[in-house]
Amino acid sequence: MSTTNWKLWEVFLRSKNGLSHKHVGSLHAPDSNMAIKNARDVYTRRSEGISIWVVPSEEITASSPDEKEALFTPSDDKVYRHPTFYDIPDDVQHM
Amino acid sequence: MGTNVSLEDKFQSYVDAEKKVEPKNWMPEKYRRTLIRQISQHAHSEIIGMQPEANWITRAPSLRAKLILLAKVQDEAGHGLYLYSSAETLGEPRDKMIADLQSGKAKYSSIFNYPTPSWADMGTIGWLVDGAAIQNQVMLTRTSYGPYARAMVKICKEESFHQRQGYEVVMKLTQGTPEQIEMAQESLNRWWWPSLMMFGPSDDNSPNSEQSMLWKIKRKSNDTLRQEFVDKTVPQAEYLGLTIPDKDLVWNESRGHYDFGDINWDEFYQVVKGNGPCNKERIAHHVKAHEDGAWVREAANAFAEKQAKRKNKEASAA
Amino acid sequence: MAGGWLNGVKRDFTSEEALKEYFFFLADDALMLGQQLSKWCSKGPVLEQDIAIINTSLDHIGRARLLYQELAKMEGGAVTEDTLAYFRDHLKFRNALLLEQPNGHWGDTIARSFFFDTFNFYLFDKLRSCSNKTLAGVAEKALKEVSYQAQWSAEWVIRLGDGTDESHHKMQESINRLWMWSGELFEAHPMFDMLDDSFVRFESLREVWLHKTGEVLKEATLVIPSPELWMQTGGRYGIHTSELGFILAEMQSLARTHPEATW
């Protein structure tokens, strides 16, 4: 990975007192400090949040889907199939 | 019957039951590729779409108009980011998407390959282009892929201000001096047909549409959306006292819709292929910003690494 | 005052004129920087920073509007915020010369913002207790924005200064290049004599500004230029660099082409 790409963070917002943080999306930042600032600028442009959490996407571990839906057996334990988990050359087709 | 077939069948009945597909769920590879193509194309459209409007920020004729336009273009950056973010949940890194945009491998809405020589274009874009986009986006709030649908909900909420902003700009022009009225009409003349092209090829010539409808990625066909747009927009133009540049435009009582003239598909495909008035300029602008910023992004990473090392050192010293 | 570039400028003010001058200083600073920063739109080094810098631009232009609206009231008649922004010529603009300097690269923009945001932070903090209620109100609102901006630009100075060799070199050059325009922010001005003490004297912020910027530059591993170096002034008297002409030509072109239009 080239050093000009910033890593990915998941963003959680608490919209008002008494509610818990809710996942709103992700963004790129080199460190947690800028991730928080970027989150403020990107996800609270209309005062949607009073508290922000950012978590490196690669640090999140997810449960498997319900037994009932065993069909969808996940291929990994990450919430998202994020790019950092795959290293596929560009010329490999249909991946 | 192989396992693969039954997985795909089960996926189809899952989608048919109006359940949302989430990143961790199994999905057909082609579903994933289709989504990446569509979402990234949508994201690129937001990002490239900043340029024709950013063109007027420094010259906006009042401070209020300047603030509104700036806020609107900022929203587009935000929407691009939401969309990149949802495409990334499918395993496609943003830098890959950006590389594909810059190499011409990925497309964006062809409407942004038209120039904005007039202030009136700031109104017309909001009114027609955002209006057409909303038509599409409202449908997409019910798309089958969860992160995409959620991004669209957020975008639609914010987008409603854009169309009103545009309409207001045009309205003020049509209530203004003769020169302003002329500006408004001239701008409508240029943008009307490209706006209709925004919905994509007609249904007979839209190769990916059928599968996308089946998977509930798309919920309405190109022609249906286009017709809805025309029906909605004609009365808005009448209210402004502007003339839509189509001599075949007429209300069809039996269909309950407006009939309208033929779209110049040759122009559409030429612009898609890269021959529009601004294709090269738009990409060159994006590439330049990206390249000019490389040293900045690199420095931020280098600094973050140094900071992390310092923290580790402190921690191990304590 | 002996002969020199600023020999011919007006130096005596009535208290009414002085109040307007004070408002114009703040309003024109804000408009000029907001206008310059808005040019980054779609050109930032990364999408997230495009959004951040537009936020800042919005804050500045928003603040300029509040101040122009108050000025329009003082001027009376048909004067509006827009006639003040769009129909004054360069001689009437009172912004510090720093703010009309071109955007340059990201480091230049950061250096310009860093000098100004740090000044603004201390200024608005103190102005909250100004005897002029409008100004106090603007300061209260501005302080929240400006605190964020000052932190944002200082962090970028540190990040670039202590980033790669290339960014360190570039940031140092930006600091050096823009340094000569920083002193004007703290220039003493005769109009202050006509205002009560709650109108912050800009020169009173110089020490704390030098201290703060010194700290940040040190953390950024950058060399602090000498405060004794020559500082170019003129903006507060309407004497500007050539840049301003182009900025105004662009900004005012449409409004002036249709002077009787409303938008």
Side-chain angles (χ1 to χ4, degrees), chain B residues 199-219:
Chain B
F199 296 96
S202 62
D203 296 347
D204 326 334
N205 290 311
S206 184
N208 302 315
S209 277
E210 202 182 329
Q211 181 64 70
S212 284
M213 298 273 282
L214 202 61
W215 277 333
K216 298 190 190 294
I217 294 175
K218 258 178 95 103
R219 318 277 321 214

Side-chain angles (χ1 to χ4, degrees), chain C:
Chain C
M1 178 133 320
W5 198 36
L6 299 181
N7 193 43
V9 300
K10 171 181 165 80
R11 290 182 189 276
D12 31 67
F13 298 89
T14 66
S15 56
E16 196 189 323
E17 285 171 339
L19 181 65
K20 283 187 201 166
E21 289 288 301
Y22 202 96
F23 268 81
F24 272 123
F25 284 19
L26 302 188
D28 291 345
D29 279 358
L31 177 61
M32 208 48 62
L33 188 58
Q35 174 78 0
Q36 296 286 65
L37 292 177
S38 78
K39 293 178 190 167
W40 274 103
C41 187
S42 80
K43 295 182 190 143
V46 68
L47 188 52
E48 282 82 351
Q49 288 303 310
D50 239 67
I51 296 172
I53 205 160
I54 299 172
N55 254 354
T56 304
S57 173
L58 284 168
D59 286 346
H60 287 304
I61 298 171
R63 190 168 66 251
R65 276 188 84 191
L66 293 176
L67 294 162
Y68 287 136
Q69 284 163 6
E70 187 64 18
L71 275 162
K73 272 190 227 158
M74 290 185 219
E75 300 274 357
V79 176
T80 66
E81 59 180 76
D82 288 329
T83 54
L84 293 174
Y86 290 92
F87 291 90
R88 277 183 304 148
D89 280 340
H90 60 100
L91 280 175
K92 298 279 194 240
F93 272 81
R94 292 289 180 267
N95 60 281
L97 302 177
L98 172 70
L99 304 165
E100 65 199 46
Q101 298 310 305
N103 283 346
H105 59 58
W106 188 252
D108 294 326
T109 290
I110 290 296
R112 184 184 62 197
S113 281
F114 168 59
F115 292 160
F116 182 65
D117 295 345
T118 310
F119 162 77
N120 248 358
F121 172 75
Y122 293 114
L123 173 65
F124 285 117
D125 182 33
K126 289 222 166 77
L127 266 185
R128 286 182 300 161
S129 46
C130 184
S131 63
N132 181 295
K133 289 295 159 243
T134 306
L135 219 43
V138 169
E140 193 70 48
K141 179 176 182 293
L143 188 64
K144 285 191 205 107
E145 300 164 355
V146 166
S147 315
Y148 175 81
Q149 288 155 8
Q151 207 183 7
W152 178 82
S153 51
E155 281 174 5
W156 267 112
V157 169
I158 294 168
R159 199 175 281 125
L160 295 177
D162 194 18
T164 60
D165 287 347
E166 184 189 6
S167 72
H168 175 85
H169 181 70
K170 282 200 154 106
M171 195 65 232
Q172 184 70 62
E173 276 192 342
S174 303
I175 294 287
N176 295 350
R177 188 159 44 231
L178 288 158
W179 185 251
M180 66 178 282
W181 309 106
S182 68
E184 187 186 18
L185 296 173
F186 311 102
E187 191 185 23
H189 195 285
M191 64 89 183
F192 287 126
D193 299 341
M194 305 306 295
L195 297 169
D196 74 53
D197 289 345
S198 74
F199 287 81
V200 181
R201 269 57 176 167
F202 297 168
E203 63 263 37
S204 73
L205 305 172
R206 187 164 181 264
E207 280 314 305
V208 63
W209 184 91
L210 278 173
H211 180 75
K212 182 67 193 174
T213 48
E215 265 182 9
V216 171
L217 291 174
K218 196 170 158 221
E219 195 181 338
T221 71
L222 295 167
V223 178
I224 305 154
S226 163
E228 303 310 321
L229 288 171
W230 171 254
M231 292 293 171
Q232 188 56 58
T233 67
R236 301 305 191 196
Y237 297 96
I239 308 295
H240 290 274
T241 65
S242 313
E243 299 294 337
L244 185 68
F246 291 101
I247 295 170
L248 296 184
E250 184 177 26
M251 184 173 82
Q252 300 177 335
S253 58
L254 180 61
R256 287 194 179 215
T257 307
H258 304 273
E260 71 298 339
T262 52
W263 305 94

Side-chain angles (χ1 to χ4, degrees), chain B residues 119-153:
Chain B
W119 167 253
D121 297 338
M122 299 305 100
T124 313
I125 287 181
W127 172 33
L128 298 185
V129 176
D130 292 334
I134 289 168
Q135 205 80 36
N136 201 30
Q137 285 164 349
V138 167
M139 162 189 88
L140 288 172
T141 59
R142 297 186 299 120
T143 192
S144 59
Y145 186 59
Y148 191 24
R150 288 192 288 275
M152 288 327 302
V153 169

Side-chain angles (χ1 to χ4, degrees), chain A residues 3 24 45-46 71 81 95, chain B residues 7 29 75 91 154 301:
Chain A
T3 52
V24 291
R45 295 197 310 287
R46 288 173 172 75
L71 157 68
R81 305 155 164 241
M95 281 299 294
Chain B
L7 271 176
E29 186 51 27
D75 270 350
K154 217 161 21 191
N301 270 341

Side-chain angles (χ1 to χ4, degrees), chain B residues 103-110 113 265-277 279-280 283:
Chain B
S103 73
K105 193 173 153 195
K107 301 288 179 219
Y108 54 89
S109 180
S110 57
N113 290 316
W265 291 113
D266 190 33
E267 175 178 324
F268 172 77
Y269 286 112
Q270 285 299 334
V271 176
V272 169
K273 261 194 276 178
N275 297 326
N279 295 60
K280 290 177 185 70
I283 294 298

Side-chain angles (χ1 to χ4, degrees), chain B residues 109-313:
Chain B
S109 180
S110 57
I111 193 91
F112 300 117
N113 290 316
Y114 291 90
T116 48
S118 163
W119 167 253
D121 297 338
M122 299 305 100
T124 313
I125 287 181
W127 172 33
L128 298 185
V129 176
D130 292 334
I134 289 168
Q135 205 80 36
N136 201 30
Q137 285 164 349
V138 167
M139 162 189 88
L140 288 172
T141 59
R142 297 186 299 120
T143 192
S144 59
Y145 186 59
Y148 191 24
R150 288 192 288 275
M152 288 327 302
V153 169
K154 217 161 21 191
I155 290 171
C156 280
K157 243 191 245 167
E158 300 185 357
E159 193 90 20
S160 67
F161 127 71
H162 293 184
Q163 202 192 3
R164 285 161 192 241
Q165 167 269 345
Y167 198 71
E168 191 201 67
V169 169
V170 182
M171 199 162 65
K172 285 193 168 172
L173 292 175
T174 57
Q175 293 166 352
T177 64
E179 289 86 359
Q180 284 177 299
I181 294 169
E182 192 189 343
M183 280 168 78
Q185 181 64 54
E186 187 278 331
S187 180
L188 174 61
N189 293 350
R190 270 184 292 114
W191 289 95
W192 174 254
W193 289 103
S195 300
L196 295 191
M197 295 176 196
M198 275 182 77
F199 296 96
S202 62
D203 296 347
D204 326 334
N205 290 311
S206 184
N208 302 315
S209 277
E210 202 182 329
Q211 181 64 70
S212 284
M213 298 273 282
L214 202 61
W215 277 333
K216 298 190 190 294
I217 294 175
K218 258 178 95 103
R219 318 277 321 214
K220 289 178 182 177
S221 78
N222 292 353
D223 286 334
T224 308
L225 287 165
R226 187 162 20 237
Q227 183 70 60
E228 283 178 8
F229 174 75
V230 171
D231 291 347
K232 194 182 73 171
T233 311
V234 172
Q236 292 170 352
E238 282 169 358
Y239 178 83
L240 294 170
L242 295 176
T243 309
I244 287 177
D246 178 0
K247 57 177 174 28
D248 297 324
L249 187 78
V250 62
W251 176 253
N252 184 325
E253 193 64 55
S254 63
R255 285 205 311 132
H257 292 293
Y258 282 95
D259 290 339
F260 52 95
D262 292 332
I263 289 170
N264 182 345
W265 291 113
D266 190 33
E267 175 178 324
F268 172 77
Y269 286 112
Q270 285 299 334
V271 176
V272 169
K273 261 194 276 178
N275 297 326
C278 302
N279 295 60
K280 290 177 185 70
E281 174 187 334
R282 299 288 183 241
I283 294 298
H285 178 112
H286 194 275
V287 169
K288 182 172 191 310
H290 193 70
E291 284 175 359
D292 286 352
W295 70 275
V296 176
R297 299 192 300 277
E298 192 179 2
N301 270 341
F303 177 74
E305 265 170 49
K306 282 186 197 174
Q307 286 288 85
K309 270 188 199 147
R310 281 176 206 140
K311 249 191 198 158
N312 281 342
K313 228 179 183 178

